[in-house]
Amino acid sequence: MTAEDNPGACPIVRSIEQIGSQWRLVVLHDLREEEKRFNELKRSTGASSRTLSRVLDDLQEMGFVSRRLEEDAPVATYYTLTDKGASLCPVFDEIETWADEWLAPEVEGEAEPATAD
């Protein structure tokens, strides 16, 4: 069941359905710093051309990414975050902070963060 099937789904479920695929998150995160060309994104994300093209099309259709075509020789396509996409940057920062605390490899002799049971 998707959030579309359940209009009462919480905002987190609806959000994850928009951005939650592995490749969407990777591409959105990779575009945080600057505009990039298709081949730059391909190298930095490790995605195949087919996967990256599909993901960029999806993200553009949903309004997270904009595409700019430069027709000078050689023709180049650039991708950048829209305001909607850039608004996810603080979310990525919070997830990174959480991951640093909770997903960091255990150092011998160091205790894990306490949990509230």
Side-chain angles (χ1 to χ4, degrees), residues 10-30:
C10 78
I12 292 172
V13 171
R14 292 194 320 266
S15 300
I16 294 301
E17 286 183 355
Q18 289 278 305
I19 63 169
S21 81
Q22 172 193 350
W23 290 112
R24 286 179 187 170
L25 288 170
V26 168
V27 170
L28 288 167
H29 187 266
D30 204 51

Side-chain angles (χ1 to χ4, degrees), residues 42-86:
K42 186 177 168 192
R43 277 191 301 276
S44 62
T45 64
S48 69
S49 294
R50 181 175 180 227
T51 297
L52 183 58
S53 180
R54 180 182 46 82
V55 168
L56 286 166
D57 286 347
D58 289 348
L59 290 172
Q60 186 178 359
E61 184 178 310
M62 291 184 291
F64 290 103
V65 170
S66 64
R67 179 181 144 182
R68 178 175 66 86
L69 185 63
E70 199 169 276
E71 296 186 19
D72 297 334
V75 174
T77 305
Y78 293 86
Y79 295 89
T80 189
L81 294 178
T82 62
D83 289 342
K84 181 179 180 179

Side-chain angles (χ1 to χ4, degrees), residues 31-49:
L31 286 171
R32 286 173 30 158
E33 300 298 320
E34 62 187 349
E35 177 180 68
K36 290 191 175 181
R37 293 174 68 160
F38 183 88
N39 285 333
E40 291 174 311
L41 281 168
K42 186 177 168 192
R43 277 191 301 276
S44 62
T45 64
S48 69
S49 294

Side-chain angles (χ1 to χ4, degrees), residues 32 88-98:
R32 286 173 30 158
L88 291 168
C89 291
V91 175
F92 287 129
D93 293 341
E94 288 298 319
I95 291 171
E96 286 177 2
T97 299
W98 179 86

